[in-house]
Amino acid sequence: MPIQEKCRVLVHQPIGPRFYQLTLLSRDIATQAQPGQFVEVKCADGYVPLLRRPISLHRIDPQNETFTLLYEVVGQGTELLAKAAVGAELDILGPLGTGFKIDPAKKTHLLVGGGMGVAPLMALAEEVKIQKSKACLPDRQVKSLDLFILIGARNKECVQCEGELKAVADQVIVSTDDGSYGQKGFVSDQLLDIINNRLSVVSCQSSVIYACGPRPMLKAVAQIAAQKQIDCQLSLEERMACGIGACKGCAVLTTSGYKMVCKDGPVFNASDLVFS
Amino acid sequence: MPIQEKCRVLVHQPIGPRFYQLTLLSRDIATQAQPGQFVEVKCADGYVPLLRRPISLHRIDPQNETFTLLYEVVGQGTELLAKAAVGAELDILGPLGTGFKIDPAKKTHLLVGGGMGVAPLMALAEEVKIQKSKACLPDRQVKSLDLFILIGARNKECVQCEGELKAVADQVIVSTDDGSYGQKGFVSDQLLDIINNRLSVVSCQSSVIYACGPRPMLKAVAQIAAQKQIDCQLSLEERMACGIGACKGCAVLTTSGYKMVCKDGPVFNASDLVFS
Amino acid sequence: MVASGTFGWGKEYSEYMDLNKLGAIVTKSITLKPREGNPPPRIVETPSGMLNSIGLQNEGLEHFLKEDLPFLAKFDTPTIVNIAGETVEEYAELAKRLSKETMVKAIEVNISCPNVKQGGMAFGVDPGLTKQVISAVRNATKQPIIAKLTPNVTDITVIGRAAVEAGADALSAINTIVGMALDLETGKSRLGRETGGLSGPAIRPIAVRMVYELARAVKVPVIGIGGIMTGNDAVEFLLAGARAVQVGTANFVDTAAPLRILAELHDYVHRHPRTLNLS
Amino acid sequence: MVASGTFGWGKEYSEYMDLNKLGAIVTKSITLKPREGNPPPRIVETPSGMLNSIGLQNEGLEHFLKEDLPFLAKFDTPTIVNIAGETVEEYAELAKRLSKETMVKAIEVNISCPNVKQGGMAFGVDPGLTKQVISAVRNATKQPIIAKLTPNVTDITVIGRAAVEAGADALSAINTIVGMALDLETGKSRLGRETGGLSGPAIRPIAVRMVYELARAVKVPVIGIGGIMTGNDAVEFLLAGARAVQVGTANFVDTAAPLRILAELHDYVHRHPRTLNLS
Ligand SMILES: Cc1cc2nc3c(=O)[nH]c(=O)nc-3n(C[C@H](O)[C@H](O)[C@H](O)COP(=O)(O)OP(=O)(O)OC[C@H]3O[C@@H](n4cnc5c(N)ncnc54)[C@H](O)[C@@H]3O)c2cc1C
Ligand SMILES: Cc1cc2nc3c(=O)[nH]c(=O)nc-3n(C[C@H](O)[C@H](O)[C@H](O)COP(=O)(O)OP(=O)(O)OC[C@H]3O[C@@H](n4cnc5c(N)ncnc54)[C@H](O)[C@@H]3O)c2cc1C
Ligand SMILES: Cc1cc2nc3c(=O)[nH]c(=O)nc-3n(C[C@H](O)[C@H](O)[C@H](O)COP(=O)(O)O)c2cc1C
Ligand SMILES: Cc1cc2nc3c(=O)[nH]c(=O)nc-3n(C[C@H](O)[C@H](O)[C@H](O)COP(=O)(O)O)c2cc1C
Ligand code: FES
Ligand code: FES
């Protein structure tokens, strides 16, 4: 069950121009959370900003009873959040929403992150690896192609987590919009490239794409997945008020009407979504 | 001319339960300010709280180009102000208003402060001493009775500046409402006591009272002054918006209609005020 | 009490608190037919407030009676059902159906909805339409009726009096204030619809004033709503003449808000045994 | 432009900025006779806003013409004189007297004032009274007339259209919204008067919405006012259809506000050469 709790800040450090990594202590959240879920953070005392801010779980560490967020300072809320001192307590509501569904029977797991969309992929990659390891128990070996991570960023400075992700998956492909680092171009182009050149038709059927990032990128990924008939889960963003399904504020259009990103999502099957 | 300026915080320290002393650097303000004037402080970035907060000049140090404020945390604005770090810059508007008029020809100067009303008395006492010294140049001696300071507080913990004030005036009489320190009772009772027992009728005419504190105390002081025919200047408080006479927000009733505390005051002749 | 539309059907918040401890639960507005709601985005934050354009998304009366009401029935807390319609007849039909549900302790009539037959003007901005709606509901049910007033009017006492004359047993005020926020890149609304409803602390001074006016204009109890975040805020409404309050936007900020505010209110009453009698 | 009542007579702010750089200066409301104003306290801060009950304190028209207008005449910046009256005749008389002052570039008519003859209801909440006031001013002067609208109405376009029909050359919106704050110790208003006018960022979404409605309802230019603190806020009003903006409460927070906002506005236009044409 999700919980609203004051969580102590254990680590809080800038990891790029306006990017921060924030580790918080909470047994309840750390032991319950699933990759793809998020927390609603009260960024400052008082009522400015008024609403909590949704941030994905970047890493989940039930052993140490901690979880980590990775966020970019983009406005008032995240700006104030960045001021939280180590040792201070932050008011957190979580874990919230419906995360990624991991089917360890699938052979190839393609994780695609654009911009801050990379944040939830770390927790996902770790969990995929754990579940695959369990599933593959007999030979105890996870082949590199099983876990494929593609991350895209505006430019070199904005590339996040490459090192962290490489520790989990040997195949981490970075692309930047301006070509200042890794491949030049959109991460969706990289995805298509890999599918075309590295996966057979058979392996498409036993593959799954998980993607998180800006809406246009998700749309492109969904189109590729549909065209190649690959299972695809997308993590969406929408402005939220309650975060728990009560206010109907975070609607997204699906083939069966409006669904709530905070409760029915943030992760949806790409084929259920209606892109405008 | 008053100025709106970012002033660097040089000293900022708690000096009691919820009291703070804050020294700021500003040549313009420090060299222009007069005792009884105040500054309007932007307590935090952004628009919460929305308005500036008026705080009296507690000490004015033109040599070092600094000025000091003494304030109590009573609400949102002062609470945020208390968080200002040494080295940070605060947005200050000042010096504002019409301060105390010092007539060094007067023999006895009675300074009466209730609660935080003690804040502006320090700058006043220092200036009175300087002006008296200049005026008394021949014998270069300021007699103790010339500068009489009475301070009243709720209780012992709330007594402020006793030491500081004693360095300027040898006669500092402290009273507390609950008798936990100094004399028990209201500071206005102490004033009456001193006038009755220590001043002759003649010296009343060559005396002046300056008072700052809560409205009921000022009313009592004004009544005593009227009864004893002693010149009396009172420093008032009123909620302010602009602080410079533009909005007509800080009205106080005088014998010639509403006047503005921020511009016509905060210091008024007691005899001009209409107490309700 | 918790305000309509901010507490879902109670279920969502039942994981965070003991619903039995609430004064009352006001449901989200229920319409006769299911409603899709407005296109996203539906939420924008503004200084000390938020705009919403949910568009009354709900699954309709039938679904409510079958799925949601039974859940609420498990708690001691009185359920107040908030209804919304596009025509006078819809309001009447909703009330008639609900009048058979004994565990519905009162009906709150949201008259801020656009009147579809008459060009989309909200019922609650016109005293005549207000009377029609409330009378129709009055004739359809014996349950207590609370008329929930919209603040988007020149004189809220005119509407309040009309509602009382038509048979409202209480008034609640205020619903959200129509507002708008534009995106500086596109020049378009930051909501899926052009305008939305402003709620939260920003509107509190306006809400307190309207409750104050209403409490002096009508004899029935007034329920205060608008930007209540703390017990002190609730006290302000009670001092203005409200007999009860509803907590809305605060639920989003703090799942514990209603119970915290209740505790803070008790605290205040304890410290100020007499101030509340002054009003 | 700087908004009425928040910039005094210009003099107060002349120590902090070069008044020549402003788009226009709108004076505090001037009445025929001197007015004492309301009892203190006159200011209360609220979440992201403030309430004021100044009560139009000013020294009257004569004093203004003799003392304040000559000061403003020294600057290149156009002076817009804001007038307020208790009767239609007072408005007309004010306009007639000002029509002789060539350096008054426009008259802004504050119709939020209570109509003393008709029970104290504000002129600006009634289209008929609005027409009367604006027509009377129209007949008394050839100067451009700006009707300053009150937001305390059900439909601001009704009032806006009435003002335009009566001869207003432009509309400005919004004036403050009636609000109230109570003292928790005494149970009484925290202002000397029961209610006050809410201004500041809290009301911006409401103001933007009203300007948007007005800009689509009338052909004359609309001037946007309400909670503008930054250039981006000003842009929001321009995108909503305003042709100019006035800065009010922001002057109290930052004496440099109007010039800073002007600079930020230029910056925006530079960065977004086309967005502003979209509206
Ligand atoms: C389920 C979910 C998970 C998220 N995970 C992360 C994460 O792991 N790391 C991270 O940096 N960000 C994440 N976000 C986005 C994050 O919530 C916003 O960046 C944040 O709310 C911005 O708040 P602010 O006050 O700083 O900015 P604001 O001043 O509110 O807005 C600044 C900009 O951010 C955009 N924005 C604001 N709120 C949202 C929102 N709820 N969804 C999308 N865009 C928004 C606005 O359109 C605006 O352009 C997530 C959002 C959702 C819905
Ligand atoms: C000319 C002048 C000089 C002042 N000098 C000092 C000083 O040297 N040291 C000091 O500690 N305080 C001083 N004050 C009072 C100080 O301005 C207030 O304590 C401060 O504004 C409170 O702000 P806040 O946001 O913390 O409290 P708020 O949340 O705004 O209010 C908390 C309490 O403070 C009272 N208050 C708020 N603003 C004012 C105000 N402008 N005048 C009087 N009471 C107010 C309220 O009634 C309320 O009870 C002075 C006030 C004036 C007008
Ligand atoms: C997201 C949201 C949804 C709302 N939905 C409804 C609704 O369905 N019916 C209704 O009568 N009021 C609805 N309201 C209005 C609230 O019940 C309340 O009147 C208003 O928000 C003011 O109170 P607050 O400032 O405490 O939120 C809604 C408000 C919000 C913020
Ligand atoms: C202290 C104060 C005094 C005001 N006086 C007047 C006035 O005399 N005449 C008038 O038309 N508007 C007056 N106003 C309203 C402002 O001109 C403006 O319409 C309103 O404050 C909204 O803008 P803002 O949010 O930028 O302040 C006053 C506002 C304030 C805050
Ligand atoms: S944020 Fe309230 S329903 Fe999703
Ligand atoms: S605070 Fe504006 S006139 Fe004094």
Side-chain angles (χ1 to χ4, degrees):
Chain A
M1 273 207 339
I3 186 173
Q4 181 181 324
E5 195 181 27
K6 297 251 178 201
C7 303
R8 193 164 300 283
V9 176
L10 299 182
V11 183
H12 197 180
Q13 56 192 22
I15 54 160
R18 297 176 65 75
F19 301 94
Y20 288 81
Q21 196 164 339
L22 169 63
T23 301
L24 295 156
L25 184 68
S26 165
R27 182 170 52 190
D28 281 318
I29 296 174
T31 54
Q32 293 185 70
Q34 299 298 324
Q37 286 192 304
F38 67 98
V39 292
E40 278 250 86
V41 182
K42 187 131 183 29
C43 296
D45 290 344
Y47 300 110
V48 174
L50 185 62
L51 300 171
R52 291 168 181 270
R53 298 294 190 253
I55 309 276
S56 298
L57 290 155
H58 172 55
R59 301 191 81 152
I60 304 161
D61 185 345
Q63 273 74 47
N64 291 310
E65 303 182 346
T66 68
F67 61 93
T68 299
L69 311 179
L70 179 69
Y71 67 91
E72 182 178 358
V73 171
V74 296
Q76 193 184 26
T78 45
E79 204 146 312
L80 287 165
L81 181 58
K83 294 188 180 156
V86 170
E89 286 186 330
L90 283 173
D91 183 345
I92 305 282
L93 178 64
L96 301 173
T98 307
F100 293 104
K101 274 171 262 350
I102 300 170
D103 177 359
K106 290 278 186 193
K107 187 172 170 304
T108 309
H109 297 253
L110 293 150
L111 281 57
V112 187
M116 284 315 295
V118 71
L121 298 190
M122 187 65 202
L124 175 63
E126 291 185 316
E127 184 65 20
V128 166
K129 192 155 182 185
I130 290 170
Q131 296 215 9
K132 288 284 283 183
S133 306
K134 282 189 199 152
C136 307
L137 219 68
D139 60 343
R140 281 184 175 276
Q141 209 195 332
V142 183
K143 266 183 270 127
S144 60
L145 196 68
D146 290 346
L147 191 53
F148 228 117
I149 304 182
L150 293 86
I151 59 181
R154 270 162 275 165
N155 54 46
K156 185 177 174 177
E157 296 226 297
C158 294
V159 175
Q160 298 301 321
C161 309
E162 188 187 0
E164 267 183 285
L165 289 168
K166 277 198 169 144
V168 189
D170 341 53
Q171 304 270 351
V172 177
I173 296 170
V174 181
S175 52
T176 52
D177 298 355
D178 64 355
S180 55
Y181 186 73
Q183 309 288 320
K184 182 179 161 103
F186 292 133
V187 67
S188 46
D189 299 336
Q190 296 303 319
L191 175 67
L192 188 59
D193 194 56
I194 283 166
I195 295 171
N196 283 338
N197 297 319
R198 316 266 288 260
L199 297 186
S200 65
V201 175
V202 179
S203 51
C204 276
Q205 284 167 5
S206 66
S207 296
V208 53
I209 298 170
Y210 314 86
C212 183
R215 200 59 70 102
M217 172 206 129
L218 295 183
K219 190 173 172 179
V221 169
Q223 278 165 347
I224 293 168
Q227 185 194 327
K228 302 287 177 184
Q229 292 185 289
I230 306 179
D231 274 1
C232 179
Q233 300 175 28
L234 303 179
S235 178
L236 302 188
E237 294 195 356
E238 194 45 74
R239 295 176 159 276
M240 294 185 179
C242 71
I244 65 173
C247 74
K248 309 295 173 208
C250 59
V252 60
L253 194 58
T254 72
T255 50
S256 46
Y258 286 121
K259 295 282 174 191
M260 294 304 126
V261 170
C262 73
K263 185 117 188 172
D264 307 312
V267 178
F268 292 89
N269 282 326
S271 55
D272 293 340
L273 293 171
V274 179
F275 285 95
S276 58
Chain B
M1 272 209 337
I3 186 173
Q4 179 181 324
E5 195 180 28
K6 297 252 178 199
C7 303
R8 193 164 299 282
V9 176
L10 299 182
V11 183
H12 197 181
Q13 55 191 22
I15 54 160
R18 297 177 63 77
F19 301 93
Y20 288 80
Q21 196 164 339
L22 169 63
T23 301
L24 294 157
L25 183 70
S26 165
R27 180 168 55 190
D28 281 318
I29 296 175
T31 54
Q32 293 184 69
Q34 299 297 324
Q37 285 191 304
F38 66 99
V39 291
E40 279 249 85
V41 182
K42 187 128 184 29
C43 296
D45 289 344
Y47 300 111
V48 174
L50 185 62
L51 300 171
R52 291 168 181 271
R53 298 293 191 254
I55 310 276
S56 298
L57 291 156
H58 171 56
R59 301 192 81 151
I60 304 160
D61 185 345
Q63 273 75 46
N64 291 309
E65 304 181 347
T66 69
F67 61 93
T68 299
L69 311 179
L70 179 68
Y71 68 91
E72 182 178 359
V73 171
V74 296
Q76 193 184 26
T78 45
E79 204 146 311
L80 287 165
L81 182 57
K83 294 188 180 156
V86 171
E89 286 186 329
L90 284 173
D91 182 347
I92 305 281
L93 178 65
L96 301 172
T98 308
F100 294 105
K101 275 170 257 1
I102 300 169
D103 177 359
K106 289 280 186 192
K107 187 172 170 302
T108 310
H109 297 254
L110 293 149
L111 281 56
V112 188
M116 283 315 296
V118 71
L121 298 191
M122 187 65 204
L124 175 62
E126 290 184 317
E127 184 66 20
V128 167
K129 192 154 182 185
I130 290 169
Q131 296 214 9
K132 289 285 282 183
S133 307
K134 283 189 198 150
C136 305
L137 220 68
D139 60 345
R140 280 184 175 276
Q141 208 195 332
V142 183
K143 266 182 270 130
S144 59
L145 197 68
D146 289 347
L147 191 52
F148 229 117
I149 303 182
L150 294 86
I151 59 181
R154 271 162 274 164
N155 54 46
K156 186 175 172 178
E157 294 226 299
C158 295
V159 174
Q160 298 300 323
C161 310
E162 189 187 0
E164 268 182 283
L165 289 168
K166 276 195 170 142
V168 189
D170 341 52
Q171 304 270 350
V172 176
I173 296 169
V174 181
S175 53
T176 52
D177 298 355
D178 64 356
S180 56
Y181 186 73
Q183 310 286 321
K184 182 180 160 105
F186 292 134
V187 67
S188 46
D189 300 337
Q190 296 303 319
L191 175 68
L192 188 59
D193 193 57
I194 283 165
I195 294 171
N196 283 338
N197 297 318
R198 313 267 287 263
L199 297 187
S200 66
V201 174
V202 179
S203 53
C204 275
Q205 284 166 5
S206 66
S207 296
V208 52
I209 298 171
Y210 314 87
C212 183
R215 200 60 70 101
M217 172 205 128
L218 296 184
K219 190 173 173 179
V221 170
Q223 278 165 348
I224 293 168
Q227 185 195 327
K228 302 287 177 184
Q229 293 186 288
I230 306 179
D231 274 1
C232 180
Q233 300 175 27
L234 303 180
S235 178
L236 303 188
E237 294 194 355
E238 193 45 74
R239 294 175 159 275
M240 293 183 181
C242 71
I244 65 174
C247 74
K248 308 296 174 207
C250 59
V252 60
L253 195 58
T254 71
T255 49
S256 47
Y258 287 121
K259 294 282 175 191
M260 295 304 126
V261 169
C262 72
K263 186 115 188 173
D264 307 313
V267 179
F268 292 89
N269 282 326
S271 56
D272 293 339
L273 293 171
V274 179
F275 284 95
S276 59
Chain C
M1 292 190 197
V2 290
S4 177
T6 63
F7 208 70
W9 315 108
K11 207 179 288 174
E12 292 82 358
Y13 282 93
S14 64
E15 298 182 6
Y16 300 93
M17 68 174 79
D18 180 357
L19 296 186
N20 287 312
K21 293 195 176 146
L22 291 173
I25 294 175
V26 185
T27 68
K28 199 173 157 38
S29 284
I30 284 152
T31 53
L32 211 49
K33 300 269 155 54
R35 274 180 67 111
E36 270 225 304
N38 290 337
R42 293 179 174 181
I43 303 275
V44 173
E45 184 159 336
T46 66
S48 297
M50 62 176 276
L51 289 169
N52 85 77
S53 78
I54 308 297
L56 297 179
Q57 173 173 351
N58 80 103
E59 314 206 40
L61 180 68
E62 291 312 321
H63 185 274
F64 170 73
L65 293 178
K66 227 172 61 197
E67 305 288 330
D68 302 310
L69 195 57
F71 176 83
L72 289 169
K74 290 189 282 182
F75 300 91
D76 303 335
T77 307
T79 297
I80 299 176
V81 177
N82 180 300
I83 61 172
E86 294 184 345
T87 60
V88 174
E89 294 72 36
E90 278 185 22
Y91 280 103
E93 176 67 18
L94 281 158
K96 204 169 125 199
R97 296 290 304 280
L98 288 167
S99 69
K100 289 169 200 140
E101 304 292 334
T102 50
M103 31 105 28
V104 173
K105 292 299 174 247
I107 294 180
E108 185 176 64
V109 189
N110 176 359
I111 55 173
S112 303
C113 311
N115 174 343
V116 167
K117 280 203 191 145
Q118 284 172 35
M121 178 178 67
F123 289 98
V125 301
D126 181 87
L129 289 175
T130 300
K131 266 196 189 165
Q132 282 181 36
V133 170
I134 302 297
S135 299
V137 173
R138 179 74 295 164
N139 292 332
T141 181
K142 293 211 155 49
Q143 284 145 324
I145 300 176
I146 305 165
K148 180 161 179 184
L149 306 183
T150 163
N152 304 295
V153 295
T154 305
D155 184 349
I156 200 165
T157 65
V158 172
I159 311 292
R161 277 200 217 95
V164 172
E165 279 166 27
D169 301 293
L171 302 176
S172 57
I174 60 175
N175 212 314
T176 54
I177 305 181
V178 183
M180 184 171 200
L182 298 174
D183 185 291
L184 300 189
E185 303 300 320
T186 65
K188 301 226 174 69
S189 172
R190 294 175 65 195
L191 293 170
R193 280 283 156 91
E194 287 187 340
T195 61
L198 186 64
S199 64
I203 68 169
R204 193 167 64 235
I206 303 170
V208 169
R209 183 260 299 180
M210 290 188 168
V211 165
Y212 182 88
E213 291 173 349
L214 282 172
R216 274 145 196 81
V218 298
K219 293 219 168 64
V220 303
V222 177
I223 301 167
I225 323 173
I228 297 176
M229 310 303 279
T230 67
N232 280 351
D233 299 342
V235 170
E236 203 179 346
F237 278 91
L238 297 178
L239 290 170
R243 296 274 288 277
V245 297
Q246 289 179 19
V247 174
T249 300
N251 293 308
F252 307 150
V253 180
D254 179 9
T255 55
L259 298 183
R260 171 177 54 76
I261 291 169
L262 209 57
E264 289 167 354
L265 201 54
H266 280 142
D267 237 48
Y268 175 91
V269 174
H270 200 75
R271 277 180 292 119
H272 300 77
R274 275 172 311 146
T275 315
L276 271 178
N277 295 338
L278 287 178
S279 78
Chain D
M1 293 191 197
V2 289
S4 177
T6 64
F7 209 70
W9 315 109
K11 207 178 286 171
E12 293 83 357
Y13 282 92
S14 64
E15 297 183 6
Y16 300 92
M17 67 174 81
D18 179 358
L19 296 186
N20 287 313
K21 294 194 176 146
L22 291 173
I25 294 175
V26 185
T27 69
K28 198 172 158 38
S29 284
I30 284 151
T31 53
L32 212 49
K33 301 269 153 55
R35 276 181 66 111
E36 268 224 305
N38 290 336
R42 293 179 174 181
I43 303 275
V44 173
E45 185 160 334
T46 65
S48 298
M50 62 175 277
L51 290 169
N52 86 77
S53 78
I54 308 297
L56 297 179
Q57 173 173 350
N58 79 104
E59 315 207 40
L61 180 69
E62 290 312 321
H63 184 275
F64 170 74
L65 293 177
K66 228 171 61 198
E67 305 288 330
D68 301 311
L69 195 56
F71 176 82
L72 289 169
K74 290 189 283 183
F75 299 91
D76 303 334
T77 307
T79 297
I80 299 175
V81 178
N82 179 301
I83 61 172
E86 296 184 344
T87 61
V88 174
E89 295 72 35
E90 277 185 23
Y91 280 103
E93 176 69 18
L94 280 159
K96 204 170 126 197
R97 296 289 304 280
L98 288 167
S99 69
K100 290 171 200 136
E101 304 292 334
T102 50
M103 33 105 28
V104 173
K105 292 297 174 249
I107 294 180
E108 184 177 63
V109 188
N110 175 359
I111 55 173
S112 303
C113 312
N115 174 343
V116 166
K117 281 202 189 146
Q118 284 172 35
M121 180 178 67
F123 289 97
V125 303
D126 181 88
L129 290 174
T130 299
K131 266 195 188 164
Q132 283 180 35
V133 170
I134 302 297
S135 298
V137 173
R138 179 73 293 164
N139 292 332
T141 181
K142 293 211 156 49
Q143 284 145 324
I145 301 176
I146 305 164
K148 180 162 178 183
L149 307 183
T150 163
N152 303 294
V153 295
T154 305
D155 184 349
I156 200 164
T157 65
V158 172
I159 311 292
R161 277 200 218 95
V164 172
E165 278 165 29
D169 302 292
L171 302 176
S172 57
I174 60 176
N175 212 314
T176 55
I177 306 181
V178 183
M180 183 171 200
L182 298 175
D183 185 292
L184 300 189
E185 304 300 321
T186 65
K188 301 224 175 71
S189 172
R190 294 175 65 195
L191 293 170
R193 281 283 157 88
E194 287 187 339
T195 61
L198 186 64
S199 65
I203 68 168
R204 194 169 63 235
I206 303 171
V208 170
R209 184 258 301 180
M210 290 188 166
V211 165
Y212 182 88
E213 291 173 348
L214 282 171
R216 274 145 197 80
V218 299
K219 293 221 168 62
V220 303
V222 177
I223 301 167
I225 323 173
I228 297 175
M229 311 302 279
T230 67
N232 280 351
D233 299 343
V235 170
E236 205 180 345
F237 278 91
L238 298 178
L239 289 171
R243 295 274 289 276
V245 297
Q246 288 180 19
V247 174
T249 300
N251 292 309
F252 307 150
V253 180
D254 179 9
T255 54
L259 297 184
R260 171 177 53 76
I261 291 169
L262 209 57
E264 289 166 353
L265 201 54
H266 279 143
D267 237 47
Y268 175 91
V269 174
H270 200 76
R271 277 180 292 118
H272 300 78
R274 276 172 310 145
T275 314
L276 270 177
N277 295 338
L278 288 177
S279 79

